[in-house]
PDB file of all heavy atoms in Angstrom:
ATOM      1  N   HIS A  26      -4.357  -9.218  -0.111  1.00 96.00           N
ATOM      2  CA  HIS A  26      -4.720  -7.749  -0.082  1.00 96.00           C
ATOM      3  C   HIS A  26      -5.953  -7.539  -0.978  1.00 96.00           C
ATOM      4  O   HIS A  26      -6.227  -8.307  -1.937  1.00 96.00           O
ATOM      5  CB  HIS A  26      -3.478  -6.971  -0.661  1.00 96.00           C
ATOM      6  CG  HIS A  26      -3.661  -5.449  -0.552  1.00 96.00           C
ATOM      7  ND1 HIS A  26      -4.143  -4.722  -1.538  1.00 96.00           N
ATOM      8  CD2 HIS A  26      -3.353  -4.623   0.481  1.00 96.00           C
ATOM      9  CE1 HIS A  26      -4.238  -3.437  -1.138  1.00 96.00           C
ATOM     10  NE2 HIS A  26      -3.692  -3.356   0.054  1.00 96.00           N
ATOM     11  N   TYR A  28      -6.364  -5.640  -3.360  1.00 96.00           N
ATOM     12  CA  TYR A  28      -6.164  -5.386  -4.787  1.00 96.00           C
ATOM     13  C   TYR A  28      -5.865  -6.671  -5.616  1.00 96.00           C
ATOM     14  O   TYR A  28      -5.642  -6.664  -6.774  1.00 96.00           O
ATOM     15  CB  TYR A  28      -4.927  -4.556  -5.029  1.00 96.00           C
ATOM     16  CG  TYR A  28      -5.045  -3.092  -4.560  1.00 96.00           C
ATOM     17  CD1 TYR A  28      -6.242  -2.575  -4.022  1.00 96.00           C
ATOM     18  CD2 TYR A  28      -3.992  -2.208  -4.705  1.00 96.00           C
ATOM     19  CE1 TYR A  28      -6.348  -1.236  -3.545  1.00 96.00           C
ATOM     20  CE2 TYR A  28      -4.060  -0.858  -4.318  1.00 96.00           C
ATOM     21  CZ  TYR A  28      -5.254  -0.438  -3.700  1.00 96.00           C
ATOM     22  OH  TYR A  28      -5.369   0.866  -3.348  1.00 96.00           O
ATOM     23  N   ASP A  42      -6.532  -4.286   4.081  1.00 89.00           N
ATOM     24  CA  ASP A  42      -5.539  -3.309   3.489  1.00 89.00           C
ATOM     25  C   ASP A  42      -4.225  -3.538   4.167  1.00 89.00           C
ATOM     26  O   ASP A  42      -4.073  -4.507   5.011  1.00 89.00           O
ATOM     27  CB  ASP A  42      -6.074  -1.895   3.635  1.00 89.00           C
ATOM     28  CG  ASP A  42      -6.081  -1.413   5.074  1.00 89.00           C
ATOM     29  OD1 ASP A  42      -5.607  -2.091   6.015  1.00 89.00           O
ATOM     30  OD2 ASP A  42      -6.692  -0.269   5.364  1.00 89.00           O
ATOM     31  N   SER A  43      -3.230  -2.832   3.799  1.00 86.00           N
ATOM     32  CA  SER A  43      -1.851  -3.169   4.225  1.00 86.00           C
ATOM     33  C   SER A  43      -1.687  -3.156   5.737  1.00 86.00           C
ATOM     34  O   SER A  43      -1.070  -4.030   6.308  1.00 86.00           O
ATOM     35  CB  SER A  43      -0.835  -2.295   3.520  1.00 86.00           C
ATOM     36  OG  SER A  43      -1.067  -0.946   3.817  1.00 86.00           O
ATOM     37  N   MET A  66       4.804  -5.809   1.434  1.00 95.00           N
ATOM     38  CA  MET A  66       3.867  -6.232   2.406  1.00 95.00           C
ATOM     39  C   MET A  66       4.260  -7.585   3.077  1.00 95.00           C
ATOM     40  O   MET A  66       4.140  -7.749   4.325  1.00 95.00           O
ATOM     41  CB  MET A  66       2.434  -6.385   1.805  1.00 95.00           C
ATOM     42  CG  MET A  66       1.880  -5.108   1.204  1.00 95.00           C
ATOM     43  SD  MET A  66       0.267  -5.389   0.415  1.00 95.00           S
ATOM     44  CE  MET A  66      -0.062  -3.754  -0.122  1.00 95.00           C
ATOM     45  N   TYR A 120       6.063   5.900   4.052  1.00 97.00           N
ATOM     46  CA  TYR A 120       4.815   5.172   3.737  1.00 97.00           C
ATOM     47  C   TYR A 120       5.226   3.726   3.819  1.00 97.00           C
ATOM     48  O   TYR A 120       6.354   3.357   3.479  1.00 97.00           O
ATOM     49  CB  TYR A 120       4.434   5.663   2.341  1.00 97.00           C
ATOM     50  CG  TYR A 120       3.102   5.193   1.872  1.00 97.00           C
ATOM     51  CD1 TYR A 120       2.039   4.870   2.748  1.00 97.00           C
ATOM     52  CD2 TYR A 120       2.828   5.197   0.515  1.00 97.00           C
ATOM     53  CE1 TYR A 120       0.792   4.508   2.298  1.00 97.00           C
ATOM     54  CE2 TYR A 120       1.571   4.802   0.012  1.00 97.00           C
ATOM     55  CZ  TYR A 120       0.552   4.449   0.904  1.00 97.00           C
ATOM     56  OH  TYR A 120      -0.638   4.078   0.410  1.00 97.00           O
ATOM     57  N   ASN A 122       4.687   1.514   1.818  1.00 97.00           N
ATOM     58  CA  ASN A 122       5.072   1.085   0.535  1.00 97.00           C
ATOM     59  C   ASN A 122       6.633   1.387   0.290  1.00 97.00           C
ATOM     60  O   ASN A 122       6.911   2.302  -0.520  1.00 97.00           O
ATOM     61  CB  ASN A 122       4.277   1.779  -0.560  1.00 97.00           C
ATOM     62  CG  ASN A 122       2.826   1.436  -0.550  1.00 97.00           C
ATOM     63  OD1 ASN A 122       2.230   1.231   0.524  1.00 97.00           O
ATOM     64  ND2 ASN A 122       2.243   1.311  -1.676  1.00 97.00           N
ATOM     65  N   SER A 141      -1.759   4.811   4.544  1.00 92.00           N
ATOM     66  CA  SER A 141      -2.661   5.875   4.140  1.00 92.00           C
ATOM     67  C   SER A 141      -3.747   6.065   5.177  1.00 92.00           C
ATOM     68  O   SER A 141      -4.411   7.091   5.227  1.00 92.00           O
ATOM     69  CB  SER A 141      -3.220   5.653   2.739  1.00 92.00           C
ATOM     70  OG  SER A 141      -3.721   4.351   2.577  1.00 92.00           O
ATOM     71  N   HIS A 203      -2.395   5.075  -9.477  1.00 97.00           N
ATOM     72  CA  HIS A 203      -3.253   6.202  -8.985  1.00 97.00           C
ATOM     73  C   HIS A 203      -3.012   7.527  -9.752  1.00 97.00           C
ATOM     74  O   HIS A 203      -3.705   8.430  -9.518  1.00 97.00           O
ATOM     75  CB  HIS A 203      -3.086   6.373  -7.447  1.00 97.00           C
ATOM     76  CG  HIS A 203      -3.732   5.292  -6.714  1.00 97.00           C
ATOM     77  ND1 HIS A 203      -3.139   4.097  -6.388  1.00 97.00           N
ATOM     78  CD2 HIS A 203      -5.028   5.242  -6.161  1.00 97.00           C
ATOM     79  CE1 HIS A 203      -4.057   3.297  -5.760  1.00 97.00           C
ATOM     80  NE2 HIS A 203      -5.170   3.984  -5.572  1.00 97.00           N
ATOM     81  N   HIS A 226      -8.299   7.905  -3.535  1.00 97.00           N
ATOM     82  CA  HIS A 226      -7.267   7.430  -2.559  1.00 97.00           C
ATOM     83  C   HIS A 226      -6.190   8.531  -2.558  1.00 97.00           C
ATOM     84  O   HIS A 226      -5.936   9.204  -3.548  1.00 97.00           O
ATOM     85  CB  HIS A 226      -6.646   6.128  -3.123  1.00 97.00           C
ATOM     86  CG  HIS A 226      -5.788   5.411  -2.187  1.00 97.00           C
ATOM     87  ND1 HIS A 226      -4.455   5.809  -1.966  1.00 97.00           N
ATOM     88  CD2 HIS A 226      -5.988   4.335  -1.320  1.00 97.00           C
ATOM     89  CE1 HIS A 226      -3.966   4.989  -1.047  1.00 97.00           C
ATOM     90  NE2 HIS A 226      -4.817   4.089  -0.731  1.00 97.00           N
ATOM     91  N   GLU A 228      -3.170   8.456  -2.767  1.00 98.00           N
ATOM     92  CA  GLU A 228      -1.981   8.299  -3.695  1.00 98.00           C
ATOM     93  C   GLU A 228      -2.305   9.060  -5.035  1.00 98.00           C
ATOM     94  O   GLU A 228      -1.361   9.124  -5.849  1.00 98.00           O
ATOM     95  CB  GLU A 228      -1.763   6.843  -3.977  1.00 98.00           C
ATOM     96  CG  GLU A 228      -1.119   6.135  -2.771  1.00 98.00           C
ATOM     97  CD  GLU A 228      -0.920   4.628  -3.039  1.00 98.00           C
ATOM     98  OE1 GLU A 228      -0.985   4.199  -4.228  1.00 98.00           O
ATOM     99  OE2 GLU A 228      -0.681   3.885  -2.092  1.00 98.00           O
ATOM    100  N   THR A 243      -7.741   2.645   1.533  1.00 93.00           N
ATOM    101  CA  THR A 243      -8.609   1.539   0.951  1.00 93.00           C
ATOM    102  C   THR A 243      -9.796   1.221   1.906  1.00 93.00           C
ATOM    103  O   THR A 243     -10.936   1.178   1.454  1.00 93.00           O
ATOM    104  CB  THR A 243      -7.706   0.318   0.746  1.00 93.00           C
ATOM    105  OG1 THR A 243      -6.592   0.723  -0.086  1.00 93.00           O
ATOM    106  CG2 THR A 243      -8.483  -0.779   0.053  1.00 93.00           C
TER     107      THR A 243
HETATM  108  P1  13P B 401      -3.455   0.259   1.528  1.00 87.76           P
HETATM  109  O1  13P B 401      -2.571   0.739   2.575  1.00 87.76           O
HETATM  110  O2  13P B 401      -4.676   1.134   1.529  1.00 87.76           O
HETATM  111  O3  13P B 401      -3.738  -1.110   1.641  1.00 87.76           O
HETATM  112  O4  13P B 401      -2.805   0.580   0.141  1.00 87.76           O
HETATM  113  C1  13P B 401      -1.622   0.014  -0.223  1.00 87.76           C
HETATM  114  C2  13P B 401      -1.335   0.382  -1.633  1.00 87.76           C
HETATM  115  O5  13P B 401      -0.455  -0.046  -2.229  1.00 87.76           O
HETATM  116  C3  13P B 401      -2.304   1.331  -2.193  1.00 87.76           C
HETATM  117  O6  13P B 401      -1.990   1.525  -3.542  1.00 87.76           O
END
Side-chain angles (χ1 to χ4, degrees):
H26 188 269
Y28 292 0
D42 67 11
S43 57
M66 296 180 180
Y120 188 25
N122 296 38
S141 50
H203 286 86
H226 191 281
E228 285 177 15
T243 307

